[in-house]
């Protein structure tokens, strides 16, 4: 990649417009690579997956870890109010509850910084503030950043056409009225480096060319796309078969694939991950299934084994919770008529003397069984860590919440074949992107989905003419 002309470190307060794949991450990397002051640069973004991807890029570029601190905006907000709880004056339950109240967390953090208590601490801790994916900032997140910008020089980067997140009662900041009025535009990127570097310049040029068409409601004809775009024609009869074939696209060596489903259908995403060999899910930051498991598991209840088995079935293919329960019941009644499998033996031991250690043993036994594949490894690993933590004192429910918060801050690496939605995969890139149902996506989500693949894009839709709503 050619040298980036804009140096984010030179911006005291400003915005760089950055369409997908035009070098936004490289802009951040080059600024951090050149940074040689004693204090690190604080880099904030929105998702754990985005943080993990950025850290991976920085490591490959040889950027010293001491040059930066990267985390999510919400993670940083939680860290602020948790480090200064008396000054923040917040109810601890907004952080520690089974469902964190992010609106309250953001509001508390913004008020804490606005009060001026941390001005000296922030200035002494960081040299500069960079915020990535700024189009996804909510009103409260934007408020927090504007107050941080009173203590730190701040450069933000983003693209209003990639604004796809929603925050319920905390809507997105208005791009013109809120963002541009505070962070004046200092530059705009316009070269499709992602695709140039991948040897797919034509694909990158085409994606840049259709951006204004999508923004103004003009239809896109996939038949006019370059060779890197493949239209998978859904016929209404074998749609799932066609989508599965697309999701299983050949990916030799270290080729990475992002399989992009409908954000309103997380069960459908998991079904694809379960059925497509080698595919795993990208999990939402709230790890809801983990905390639900923490709340549901009571070792004193008769249904404890069923709770564990149901949890495992939701994470691993080729395992049936009902089959295990029937086998254990038959074994207890002396009617099984065959030797117990390793999973069944572990389940019988669990029923004989309940313990969290035996829960961990049972999950591990299921995971290592022949033919079983864990397609939600992030949730399984988090559950095992929570079980280990709970052995040291806290309740299992509290341990799942603690592990969820740890996961929120450290992020997770991207697998070779990952399944998620635009909400979970935005900001990431792979060699190939597969859009499972382009017809249900609006213009911005469609643009985000198609710009994830640096070499190929497979688009599943009944018609080659895409005319998505805004």
């Amino acid at each position: 990649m050619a040298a980036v002309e804009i140096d984010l470190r030179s911006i005291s307060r400003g915005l760089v417009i950055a369409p997908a794949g035009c070098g936004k991450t490289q802009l951040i990397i080059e600024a951090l690579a050149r940074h040689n002051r004693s204090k690190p640069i604080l880099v904030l973004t929105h998702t754990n997956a985005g943080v993990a991807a950025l850290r991976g890029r920085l490591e490959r570029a040889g950027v010293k870890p001491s040059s930066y601190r990267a985390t999510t905006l919400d993670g940083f907000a939680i860290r602020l109010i948790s480090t200064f709880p008396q000054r923040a004056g917040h109810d601890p339950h907004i952080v520690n509850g089974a469902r964190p109240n992010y609106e309250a967390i953001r509001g508390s953090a913004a008020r804490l910084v606005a009060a001026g208590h941390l001005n000296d601490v922030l200035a002494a801790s960081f040299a500069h503030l960079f915020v990535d994916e700024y189009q996804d900032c909510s009103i409260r997140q934007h408020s927090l950043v504007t107050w941080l910008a009173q203590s730190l020089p701040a450069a933000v980067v983003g693209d209003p056409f990639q604004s796809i997140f929603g925050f319920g009662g905390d809507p997105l900041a208005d791009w013109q009225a809120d963002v541009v009025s505070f962070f004046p535009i200092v530059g705009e990127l316009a070269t499709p480096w992602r695709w140039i570097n991948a040897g797919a310049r034509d694909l990158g040029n085409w994606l840049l060319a259709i951006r204004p068409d999508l923004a103004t409601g003009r239809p896109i004809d996939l038949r006019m796309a370059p060779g890197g775009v493949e239209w998978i024609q859904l016929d209404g009869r074998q749609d799932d078969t066609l989508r599965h074939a697309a999701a299983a696209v050949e990916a030799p060596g270290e080729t990475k694939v992002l399989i992009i489903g409908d954000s309103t259908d997380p069960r459908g995403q998991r079904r694809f991950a379960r059925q497509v060999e080698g595919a795993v899910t990208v999990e939402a930051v709230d790890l809801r299934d983990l905390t639900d498991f923490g709340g549901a598991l009571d070792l004193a209840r008769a249904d404890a084994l069923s709770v564990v088995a149901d949890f495992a079935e939701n994470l691993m293919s080729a395992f049936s919770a009902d089959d295990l329960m029937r086998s254990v019941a038959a074994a207890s009644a002396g009617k099984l008529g065959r030797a117990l499998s390793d999973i069944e033996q572990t389940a019988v031991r669990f029923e004989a003397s309940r313990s969290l250690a035996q829960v961990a043993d049972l999950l591990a036994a299921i995971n290592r069984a022949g033919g079983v594949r864990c397609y939600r490894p992030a949730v399984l690993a988090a559950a095992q860590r929570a079980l280990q933590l709970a052995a040291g004192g806290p309740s299992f429910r509290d341990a799942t919440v603690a592990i969820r918060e740890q996961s929120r801050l450290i992020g997770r690496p991207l697998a070779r074949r990952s399944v998620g939605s635009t909400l979970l995969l935005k900001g990431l890139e792979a060699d190939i992107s597969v859009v499972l149902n382009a017809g249900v996506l609006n213009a911005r989500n469609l643009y985000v989905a198609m710009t994830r693949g640096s070499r190929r894009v497979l688009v599943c839709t009944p018609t080659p003419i895409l005319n998505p709503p805004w």
Side-chain angles (χ1 to χ4, degrees):
M1 178 179 289
V4 175
E5 295 179 2
I6 302 172
D7 187 347
L8 293 179
R9 299 174 305 157
S10 68
I11 300 172
S12 58
R13 193 173 84 193
L15 162 69
V16 176
I17 303 291
C22 288
K24 171 177 59 64
T25 304
Q26 189 66 21
L27 199 69
I28 296 171
I29 290 171
E30 291 200 4
L32 296 178
R34 295 191 189 107
H35 182 62
N36 56 12
R37 293 171 58 185
S38 58
K39 292 181 290 187
I41 292 174
L42 175 62
V43 184
L44 301 178
T45 188
H46 290 276
T47 66
N48 286 317
V51 171
L54 176 61
R55 286 175 177 158
R57 290 276 299 272
L58 290 167
E59 182 177 353
R60 291 193 295 274
V63 177
K64 295 182 296 183
S66 60
S67 298
Y68 67 94
R69 299 290 183 270
T71 186
T72 64
L73 273 155
D74 286 342
F76 188 69
I78 290 171
R79 185 175 298 175
L80 282 177
I81 64 175
S82 299
T83 304
F84 303 97
Q86 291 185 330
R87 288 181 175 178
H90 65 287
D91 180 348
H93 285 95
I94 68 174
V95 175
N96 299 324
R99 299 285 185 272
N101 186 337
Y102 291 110
E103 295 174 23
I105 289 167
R106 296 164 191 153
S108 294
R111 288 190 296 272
L112 172 64
V113 179
H117 299 307
L118 306 187
N119 289 354
D120 292 341
V121 173
L122 291 166
S125 301
F126 305 108
H128 213 116
L129 170 64
F130 297 165
V131 186
D132 195 6
E133 306 284 4
Y134 207 81
Q135 71 280 349
D136 292 321
C137 278
S138 72
I139 289 175
R140 287 180 176 85
Q141 288 174 325
H142 174 64
S143 176
L144 171 60
V145 174
T146 60
W147 286 113
L148 291 172
Q150 309 302 313
S151 300
L152 300 169
V156 305
V157 292
D159 173 16
F161 198 52
Q162 294 183 72
S163 175
I164 62 172
F165 284 177
F167 292 92
D170 188 14
L172 295 177
D174 183 272
W175 188 256
Q176 292 298 328
D178 298 324
V179 177
V180 176
S181 66
F182 188 87
F183 291 109
I185 299 172
V186 298
E188 182 168 356
L189 307 180
T191 304
W193 288 114
R194 174 178 298 166
W195 298 276
I196 291 173
N197 292 338
R201 181 189 290 267
D202 288 347
L203 174 57
N205 287 335
W206 180 76
L207 289 167
L208 270 183
I210 67 170
R211 188 172 180 271
D213 293 334
L214 288 169
T216 55
R218 291 193 295 271
I220 307 300
D221 189 342
L222 294 174
R223 294 169 299 186
M224 305 300 292
V229 178
E230 183 178 349
W231 170 40
I232 308 298
Q233 183 177 8
L234 303 180
D235 60 11
R237 300 185 306 276
Q238 303 181 61
D239 288 357
D240 273 353
T241 300
L242 292 166
R243 290 192 184 102
H244 282 130
V249 59
E250 185 177 357
E254 295 303 310
T255 301
K256 289 192 174 182
V257 181
L258 293 181
I259 302 164
I260 304 169
D262 183 355
S263 61
T264 65
D265 185 20
R267 289 186 178 180
Q269 296 169 33
R270 293 168 193 162
R271 185 176 69 253
F272 271 90
R274 185 184 187 101
Q275 295 173 349
V276 175
E277 184 63 31
V280 302
T281 57
V282 174
E283 299 293 334
V285 295
D286 62 2
L287 289 176
R288 180 169 297 184
D289 286 348
L290 173 68
T291 54
D292 284 349
F293 180 44
L297 181 61
D298 182 347
L299 296 177
R301 288 181 48 147
D303 67 348
L305 177 60
S306 178
V307 169
V308 178
D310 287 343
F311 178 69
E313 185 179 60
N314 197 32
L315 310 182
M316 299 179 239
S317 64
F319 168 73
S320 167
D322 287 343
D323 287 351
L324 177 62
M325 296 304 297
R326 282 193 291 268
S327 296
V328 170
S332 298
K335 299 179 180 180
L336 185 60
R338 58 171 174 79
L340 293 169
S341 69
D342 182 46
I343 295 175
E344 292 162 347
Q345 289 179 30
T346 310
V348 168
R349 286 195 296 271
F350 170 81
E351 286 287 69
S353 54
R354 309 281 185 83
S355 74
L356 291 177
Q358 288 172 327
V359 174
D361 289 346
L362 180 55
L363 293 174
I366 297 169
N367 189 37
R368 67 172 175 262
V372 172
R373 180 178 69 86
C374 180
Y375 60 93
R376 302 182 68 189
V379 180
L380 178 61
Q384 292 286 19
R385 292 198 302 273
L387 289 163
Q388 200 170 38
L389 178 62
S395 70
F396 181 53
R397 177 198 170 280
D398 289 346
T400 60
V401 172
I403 293 300
R404 177 197 62 197
E405 295 311 308
Q406 290 179 18
S407 299
R408 188 189 311 281
L409 296 175
I410 63 175
R412 295 182 291 274
L414 191 65
R416 282 193 53 216
R417 195 178 297 264
S418 301
V419 182
S421 67
T422 52
L423 296 175
L424 296 173
L425 300 177
K426 193 175 77 65
L428 304 181
E429 64 177 274
D431 302 278
I432 303 170
S433 66
V434 181
V435 187
L436 293 176
N437 198 353
V440 305
L441 302 179
N442 65 23
R444 286 173 293 171
N445 278 276
L446 180 62
Y447 174 71
V448 168
M450 292 201 300
T451 53
R452 297 310 92 203
S454 63
R455 298 179 187 274
R456 293 178 63 191
V457 181
L458 282 65
V459 184
C460 303
T461 178
T463 171
I465 308 298
L466 300 177
N467 194 12
W470 174 258

